[in-house]
Amino acid sequence: MASADLRDELDCSICLTLYTDPVTLRCGHNFCRVCIDRFLNTRDESGVYNCPECREEFQERPTLITNITLQNVSEHLQSTQPHQEEITGIRCTYCVESPVPAVKSCLLCEASLCDKHLRVHSKGPEHVLTDPSTSLETRKCSVHKELLKYYCTEDAACICVSCSLAGEHRGHQVEMLEEASEKKKKKKLRNVLQKLITKRKKTEERVQSLEECWKRAQEKAAGEVERVTALFIDIRRRVDDLEKRILRDISRREEKMSLSLSDVIQKLEIKKDELSRKMRHIEELCNITDPLTVLQEPDTGDLCDCEQEEGGEDTGGHDGGDEDRWGHDGGDWGAELISHISHTLSAMIRDINVIFSVQDPADILLDVNSAANNLLISDDLTVATWTLITENRPETSERFQYNQVMSGRRFTSGRHYWDVEISVSGLWRVGMCYPSIDRRGRQSRIGDNNKSWCLHGGLGYNNQCSVRYDSNDIPISHQISSDRFRIHLDYEAGQLSFYELCDPIRHLHTFTATFSEPLHAVLWLYKSSIKILGKL
């Protein structure tokens, strides 16, 4: 208890903390040098000085005498106290040695007060307390050093009482600061706030929209990654299958060739032995000196057969015939293999280029002015449906007579693709045509003339499709498993390709032509429906 009382005796009565550089007035009271200096500075204007503790007045500013004993005791006690954390924000003006956060600021004293100093602060009406602030001087009139209490509406300025009664704002319309703040500033601020709220809402909506777009882009990218991965897995599988098939073919042909050559070599070895035997016999005859013995030799006729046999079937008719024949066959076979591999890989590369050279589908809308009257066209111009009920559209030179409709958009250059989804309840054809295609008669159907190309199929085709140009059909070799198809156009290259949108995408056929007119998408259908698919 005595220790606590001693600690209180070492607190400055102004900052209420441990003395820092303590000094003593003539009356005997002690203060921090900084604290008493600040207090005496507030009395410089009036010229009347007094002790904050006992209120004793001094005619002149009192001399501050350093209290060495009190300073030593304070420093010793301070060294034994735990380190206090640094105070952030506005600090109490009088707590110099140990910073303490301020809870109020006095506009008259232009000082900030902690909770302890607030309890001993003057309660006079002239001491206006506000929330802690570091700009207290701005709350006073720069001319009269009085608190700003009014707002001059004519000059749009904050003024004090003296400004209103005797200063340059005398006779002006004035309002209380609170009233003016509410009418002038806060109303405008609320309007600004409302605008900011609206802008923030729009910004939030835009951020949300962009985030959704980003999410869709990520999902699309993930889908593309999955699709590309599946495609290249399929390509590698196809290449591996091609390699295995060709190697098996090479092995089979090599085995067949080996057997054939082995048989021929065996026959030639026997023939070689026979020729050697005859050669030895002839040499023996040539070495006999007795003419009678030579003439009586019974096998002399057989010895002449060797020249005839040399031109027989076994030898090939000339020296080196077998080598030429087998070497020639092997060379043709190798060229055939290289051509087949090159063609297959080129087709794969072409399919990859077609799939990834165009990022988004072309915007295809059906042209109602070209639609036959037995076709229903949806309001969004993307679906054509065959119907028994005839539409009452005017007959024009542009309108097809039966079952057919063209797109309004035409293509004169570049690479483009569009996808369709087909109801397989009936028959259908999808493709492209020139605008000069006939609009009447059987020859107007796509694929039945030299101005259109199509893929066609439907119920009764047993999941088989064909491509058609100028009334000539080319069957697709495999069964169709999907009801979605892609039509890809490379105008400059003169290529029109058809794909089945399965997993992975499958190339069906490519027409090659020199396009001489613009191209339009075109649909033909009977007891079915075709939808043009947009961006996924």
Side-chain angles (χ1 to χ4, degrees):
M1 188 69 177
S3 177
D5 292 340
L6 176 61
R7 174 66 178 79
D8 291 339
E9 291 295 328
L10 296 176
D11 284 343
C12 171
S13 60
I14 297 179
C15 65
L16 302 181
T17 59
L18 199 63
Y19 287 118
T20 302
D21 192 12
V23 294
T24 305
L25 297 181
R26 289 197 304 268
C27 60
H29 291 109
N30 301 302
F31 306 94
C32 297
R33 182 181 294 276
V34 174
C35 294
I36 193 61
D37 271 338
R38 288 180 179 175
F39 179 79
L40 295 176
N41 288 340
T42 62
R43 301 293 185 263
D44 283 343
E45 188 174 343
S46 62
V48 177
Y49 303 94
N50 62 292
C51 172
E53 188 77 23
C54 64
R55 301 297 178 180
E56 180 180 343
E57 292 187 359
F58 307 101
Q59 297 300 322
E60 295 179 355
R61 180 164 180 148
T63 302
L64 303 179
I65 303 170
T66 302
N67 192 327
I68 300 298
T69 302
L70 190 58
Q71 181 177 353
N72 293 335
V73 174
S74 298
E75 289 178 354
H76 175 73
L77 185 60
Q78 186 176 8
S79 64
T80 61
Q81 298 297 318
H83 179 69
Q84 295 184 349
E85 295 183 0
E86 183 178 357
I87 303 299
T88 59
I90 300 175
R91 304 173 181 178
C92 176
T93 303
Y94 304 113
C95 296
V96 179
E97 179 59 29
S98 179
V100 178
V103 295
K104 289 291 182 180
S105 293
C106 177
L107 301 183
L108 179 62
C109 300
E110 296 184 6
S112 296
L113 310 170
C114 65
D115 190 54
K116 288 183 178 180
H117 285 97
L118 181 62
R119 289 198 296 268
V120 298
H121 190 72
S122 173
K123 303 298 188 293
E126 68 276 10
H127 292 272
V128 179
L129 299 176
T130 65
D131 291 332
S133 173
T134 57
S135 57
L136 300 177
E137 65 278 359
T138 62
R139 314 271 310 193
K140 289 186 177 182
C141 175
S142 59
V143 178
H144 303 101
K145 304 300 180 182
E146 296 180 6
L147 291 178
L148 300 174
K149 294 184 177 181
Y150 302 99
Y151 180 78
C152 177
T153 58
E154 295 184 20
D155 297 330
C158 297
I159 61 176
C160 65
V161 175
S162 298
C163 290
S164 176
L165 297 178
E168 58 183 30
H169 299 277
R170 182 175 55 184
H172 291 183
Q173 182 69 32
V174 297
E175 296 176 350
M176 296 298 293
L177 288 181
E178 293 78 4
E179 181 183 357
S181 173
E182 184 66 30
K183 290 172 59 177
K184 303 292 182 182
K185 292 293 183 181
K186 290 188 178 180
K187 185 177 181 180
K188 291 181 180 179
L189 290 175
R190 289 191 184 98
N191 292 334
V192 172
L193 178 61
Q194 188 60 44
K195 291 179 180 179
L196 293 176
I197 291 174
T198 303
K199 287 184 178 180
R200 187 183 68 176
K201 184 177 180 181
K202 290 181 179 179
T203 303
E204 289 175 349
E205 292 174 352
R206 186 178 179 187
V207 169
Q208 183 178 0
S209 176
L210 291 175
E211 287 177 346
E212 292 175 356
C213 182
W214 186 11
K215 183 178 179 181
R216 288 195 299 270
Q218 289 178 321
E219 292 174 351
K220 183 177 180 180
E224 290 295 319
V225 169
E226 183 177 354
R227 187 163 67 97
V228 170
T229 302
L231 174 64
F232 279 92
I233 289 175
D234 180 66
I235 289 173
R236 283 190 287 270
R237 179 187 59 77
R238 290 164 63 183
V239 171
D240 290 341
D241 290 346
L242 178 63
E243 179 187 10
K244 292 176 182 177
R245 180 159 50 86
I246 291 174
L247 290 177
R248 284 196 304 268
D249 197 11
I250 292 173
S251 179
R252 186 173 61 254
R253 294 196 184 195
E254 187 271 337
E255 183 179 1
K256 181 178 179 182
M257 185 185 298
S258 297
L259 291 174
S260 299
L261 289 175
S262 176
D263 183 58
V264 172
I265 290 171
Q266 185 177 7
K267 290 180 180 180
L268 290 175
E269 288 289 342
I270 295 173
K271 182 177 180 180
K272 186 181 72 172
D273 292 341
E274 179 65 21
L275 290 173
S276 297
R277 184 186 64 77
K278 289 183 178 182
M279 288 172 59
R280 288 193 300 272
H281 182 65
I282 290 173
E283 288 177 353
E284 292 175 357
L285 289 177
C286 290
N287 292 328
I288 296 174
T289 58
D290 183 7
L292 182 62
T293 303
V294 174
L295 292 175
Q296 291 178 346
E297 173 61 38
D299 294 331
T300 55
D302 294 338
L303 298 177
C304 298
D305 294 340
C306 60
E307 294 181 358
Q308 182 180 354
E309 290 176 358
E310 290 178 358
E313 294 180 359
D314 290 340
T315 62
H318 59 84
D319 292 340
D322 293 302
E323 295 177 3
D324 292 342
R325 176 157 54 88
W326 289 110
H328 178 71
D329 291 343
D332 287 346
W333 177 53
E336 179 185 348
L337 277 178
I338 292 173
S339 175
H340 177 66
I341 295 172
S342 177
H343 175 75
T344 304
L345 293 178
S346 296
M348 291 182 184
I349 293 172
R350 180 198 60 208
D351 292 350
I352 294 172
N353 288 335
V354 167
I355 293 170
F356 296 105
S357 61
V358 182
Q359 296 299 320
D360 294 312
D363 293 326
I364 300 291
L365 297 178
L366 300 175
D367 181 12
V368 179
N369 293 327
S370 69
N373 276 323
N374 61 342
L375 295 184
L376 288 175
I377 307 300
S378 63
D379 292 338
D380 62 359
L381 305 179
T382 62
V383 181
T385 305
W386 181 88
T387 177
L388 284 172
I389 302 174
T390 303
E391 294 292 312
N392 188 25
R393 303 188 187 103
E395 294 292 340
T396 64
S397 60
E398 298 178 6
R399 192 173 308 284
F400 286 103
Q401 185 178 10
Y402 302 114
N403 303 45
Q404 203 155 266
V405 60
M406 279 195 332
S407 67
R409 181 177 179 180
R410 65 179 189 172
F411 301 94
T412 59
S413 64
R415 293 178 176 180
H416 311 275
Y417 80 83
W418 51 288
D419 300 337
V420 296
E421 184 177 45
I422 298 173
S423 168
V424 293
S425 57
L427 304 179
W428 54 268
R429 297 185 183 190
V430 295
M432 305 199 82
C433 71
Y434 291 148
S436 60
I437 188 173
D438 289 338
R439 309 304 170 100
R440 296 288 184 272
R442 182 180 178 85
Q443 70 276 9
S444 65
R445 294 196 307 182
I446 53 172
D448 288 345
N449 49 70
N450 62 358
K451 296 186 177 183
S452 60
W453 302 258
C454 76
L455 172 73
H456 70 96
L459 193 65
Y461 282 83
N462 195 25
N463 292 331
Q464 295 290 334
C465 286
S466 298
V467 291
R468 188 173 178 86
Y469 170 72
D470 203 11
S471 299
N472 294 316
D473 261 350
I474 303 176
I476 303 300
S477 59
H478 59 267
Q479 287 191 338
I480 300 299
S481 60
S482 174
D483 58 356
R484 293 188 175 192
F485 300 91
R486 172 167 297 176
I487 299 89
H488 180 274
L489 170 66
D490 189 337
Y491 194 93
E492 283 78 9
Q495 292 183 340
L496 181 62
S497 302
F498 297 89
Y499 293 84
E500 180 185 4
L501 295 181
C502 52
D503 189 14
I505 189 170
R506 177 183 292 170
H507 174 256
L508 300 178
H509 185 78
T510 295
F511 286 109
T512 301
T514 301
F515 300 128
S516 57
E517 296 183 41
L519 287 170
H520 292 256
V522 60
L523 311 176
W524 181 95
L525 51 159
Y526 174 72
K527 292 185 179 180
S528 61
S529 177
I530 301 177
K531 179 180 181 181
I532 297 174
L533 302 178
K535 297 180 180 180
L536 300 179

